[in-house]
């Protein structure tokens, strides 16, 4: 019997501004998911937050895109929104873009990362959650984890992963996807995913030669694009991802190593700036300076028949201090550029902000250059 691991997340009100999730909202979510566990809709759960995003981590037997599970998440976000409104939290219900649940939460605002797979004897699994950035922020670490031998020693020295992995990449503008094999198509893959605002890694699969089933994902990322759904800028699509580790997969340490650069991602203030992605503990996942810098948290579980151990707050470790220090230096350096690119995003990514309005306003005052 397969198990499904789901992360469904939404920003339903910030405390204060876009910094954090208020504890009342997490409490409401925990009660709601506990009830769902008692009624055996879900097997286990964990509620947390990354910055202003309320994160519901659930295990169950219903598969991906299950109506009952998405409905549970939707109802939870609606109840949390009510409390957010009572408290006067900022942007209450921000990510709930529809009035009523329609059967699948995708396309309604919240982000979804879920996968169904056959549990191994011991199943180490990591939930990654980011704030103030977009799904493409996962491209670089996921690539490094599953395809870069300078990151993942196992690609060279472990016969069980030496053949590499398959990457499912989505073109989120054209709504198409393609499966690319690594290491055979490494350069094609990089040609696409380097353009991280358009091409995003959705899933990673084992190769046919792996001891794991070829059709069951070993990593999955949420790829919902909020502004495309809403037709206007309503906040960033702060993503979540799930990565399985060990025996036939990259080791836990190889998975975490993918986040050791503090790489540049887009998002941050007003969703319009490039800045370093800083790996932090859950308690440090609060976006302050210039509404950032962008953060990522990692919760590690062992799973058995869908039951989860207590999570380990994996970036709450001194081994990531240097990455954080460097990220803070980069933060300072990037900030000094003010409104200049490449701190501010390029024109093409600013379409949904004031820039087109500035162009319209100045329209007639532009003269031909002779
Ligand atoms: C970025 C983000 C914040 C807001 C900013 C302005 O993802 O959520 O940086 O864009 O605080 O927020 P509003 O427009 O709500 O005043
Ligand atoms: Mg917000
Ligand atoms: Mg957020």
């Amino acid at each position: 019997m397969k198990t499904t691991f789901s992360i469904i997340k939404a920003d339903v009100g910030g405390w204060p501004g876009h910094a954090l999730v208020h504890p009342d909202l997490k409490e409401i979510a925990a009660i709601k998911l506990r009830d769902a566990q008692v009624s055996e809709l879900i097997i286990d759960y964990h509620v947390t937050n990354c910055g202003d995003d309320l994160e519901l981590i659930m295990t169950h037997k219903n598969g991906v895109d299950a109506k009952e599970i998405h409905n549970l998440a939707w109802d939870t976000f609606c109840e949390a929104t009510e409390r957010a409104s009572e408290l006067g939290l900022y942007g209450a219900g921000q990510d709930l873009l529809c009035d009523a649940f329609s059967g699948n939460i995708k396309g309604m605002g919240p982000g979804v990362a879920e996968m169904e797979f056959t549990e191994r004897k011991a199943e180490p699994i990591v939930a990654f959650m980011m704030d103030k950035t977009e799904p493409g922020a996962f491209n670089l670490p996921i690539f490094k984890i599953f395809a870069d031998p300078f990151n993942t020693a196992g690609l060279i020295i472990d016969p069980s992963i030496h053949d590499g992995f398959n990457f499912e990449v989505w073109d989120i503008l054209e709504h198409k996807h393609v499966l690319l094999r690594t290491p055979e198509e490494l350069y094609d893959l990089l040609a696409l995913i380097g353009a991280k605002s358009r091409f995003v890694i959705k899933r990673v699969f084992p190769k046919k030669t792996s001891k794991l089933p070829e059709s069951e994902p070993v990593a999955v990322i949420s790829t919902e694009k909020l502004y495309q759904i809403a037709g206007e800028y309503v906040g960033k699509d702060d993503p979540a991802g799930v990565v399985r580790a060990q025996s036939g997969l990259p080791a836990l340490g190889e998975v975490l190593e993918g986040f050791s650069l503090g790489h540049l991602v887009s998002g941050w203030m007003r969703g319009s700036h490039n800045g370093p992605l800083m790996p932090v503990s859950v308690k440090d996942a609060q976006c302050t300076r210039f509404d950032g810098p962008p953060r990522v948290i990692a919760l590690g579980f062992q799973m058995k028949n869908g039951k989860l151990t207590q999570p380990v707050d994996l970036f709450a470790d001194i081994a990531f201090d240097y990455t954080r220090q460097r990220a803070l230096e980069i933060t300072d350096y990037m900030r000094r550029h003010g409104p200049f690119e490449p701190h501010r995003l390029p024109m093409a990514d600013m379409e949904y902000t004031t820039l087109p309005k500035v162009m319209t306003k100045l329209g007639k005052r532009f003269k031909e250059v002779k």
Side-chain angles (χ1 to χ4, degrees), residues 175-211:
H175 301 282
K176 289 178 179 163
H177 59 93
V178 61
L179 196 71
L180 292 169
R181 290 166 292 135
T182 62
E184 303 89 314
E185 297 175 299
L186 205 64
Y187 299 159
D188 292 338
L189 174 66
L190 284 169
L192 297 185
I193 64 171
K196 59 186 172 40
S197 61
R198 172 156 179 189
F199 296 99
V200 295
I201 299 170
K202 178 66 189 177
R203 293 185 190 85
V204 180
F205 294 95
K207 285 274 185 68
K208 201 180 250 133
T209 47
S210 165
K211 57 185 178 185

Side-chain angles (χ1 to χ4, degrees), residues 320-340:
F320 285 91
D321 281 355
Y322 180 63
T323 305
R324 286 190 274 269
Q325 188 58 39
R326 185 169 46 204
L328 293 176
E329 279 160 24
I330 298 167
T331 294
D332 214 57
Y333 171 80
M334 294 300 276
R335 278 304 302 128
R336 286 176 193 206
H337 293 77
F340 285 80

Side-chain angles (χ1 to χ4, degrees), residues 9-11 18-19 50-55 94-95 130-133 235-239 287:
K9 47 105 359 205
D11 175 349
H18 293 277
C50 184
D52 60 3
D53 293 294
L54 179 58
E55 314 272 354
Q94 176 190 285
D95 285 357
M130 298 181 180
D131 191 32
K132 304 294 183 276
T133 186
K236 266 283 170 200
D237 339 290
D238 308 320
C287 292

Side-chain angles (χ1 to χ4, degrees), residues 73-301:
W74 182 260
D75 287 349
T76 305
F77 293 139
C78 289
E79 275 188 35
T81 296
E82 273 176 39
R83 183 67 186 136
S85 305
E86 276 167 22
L87 289 169
L89 298 182
Y90 192 70
Q94 176 190 285
D95 285 357
L96 307 186
L97 304 177
C98 307
D99 294 333
F101 182 69
S102 66
N104 190 314
I105 207 163
K106 283 195 278 189
M108 299 178 73
V112 183
E114 48 185 1
M115 59 170 149
E116 186 185 34
F117 55 91
T118 311
E119 271 185 38
R120 294 167 292 166
K121 204 164 72 193
E123 188 64 57
I125 191 159
V126 186
F128 288 101
M129 294 151 280
M130 298 181 180
D131 191 32
K132 304 294 183 276
T133 186
E134 59 175 9
F138 271 103
N139 283 7
L140 183 142
I142 295 293
F143 171 80
K144 288 178 71 152
I145 295 164
F146 290 99
D148 178 5
F150 282 78
N151 181 92
T152 297
L155 292 168
I156 305 292
I157 60 180
D158 178 353
S160 70
I161 59 172
H162 189 72
D163 287 349
F165 292 90
N166 292 330
F167 286 71
E168 179 186 327
V169 176
W170 283 20
D171 177 342
I172 46 183
L173 278 187
E174 297 281 331
H175 301 282
K176 289 178 179 163
H177 59 93
V178 61
L179 196 71
L180 292 169
R181 290 166 292 135
T182 62
E184 303 89 314
E185 297 175 299
L186 205 64
Y187 299 159
D188 292 338
L189 174 66
L190 284 169
L192 297 185
I193 64 171
K196 59 186 172 40
S197 61
R198 172 156 179 189
F199 296 99
V200 295
I201 299 170
K202 178 66 189 177
R203 293 185 190 85
V204 180
F205 294 95
K207 285 274 185 68
K208 201 180 250 133
T209 47
S210 165
K211 57 185 178 185
L212 281 84
E214 192 190 5
S215 60
E216 294 182 6
V218 293
V220 64
I221 316 300
S222 68
T223 48
E224 287 70 27
K225 268 276 190 191
L226 267 181
Y227 85 91
Q228 284 181 341
I229 302 167
E232 59 177 19
Y233 182 72
V234 289
K236 266 283 170 200
D237 339 290
D238 308 320
V242 186
V243 180
R244 298 164 61 200
Q246 306 286 155
S247 52
L249 294 174
L252 179 71
E254 290 168 334
V255 171
L256 299 176
E257 181 68 9
F259 292 84
S260 58
L261 175 62
H263 64 292
L264 292 175
V265 298
S266 59
W268 206 347
M269 175 57 76
R270 298 175 187 277
S272 306
H273 293 81
N274 285 310
L277 183 71
M278 187 159 76
V280 292
S281 65
V282 175
K283 87 169 168 40
D284 288 332
Q286 48 178 343
C287 292
T288 52
R289 184 171 179 190
F290 202 53
D291 283 358
R295 319 265 161 145
V296 55
I297 58 171
L299 292 184
F301 302 88

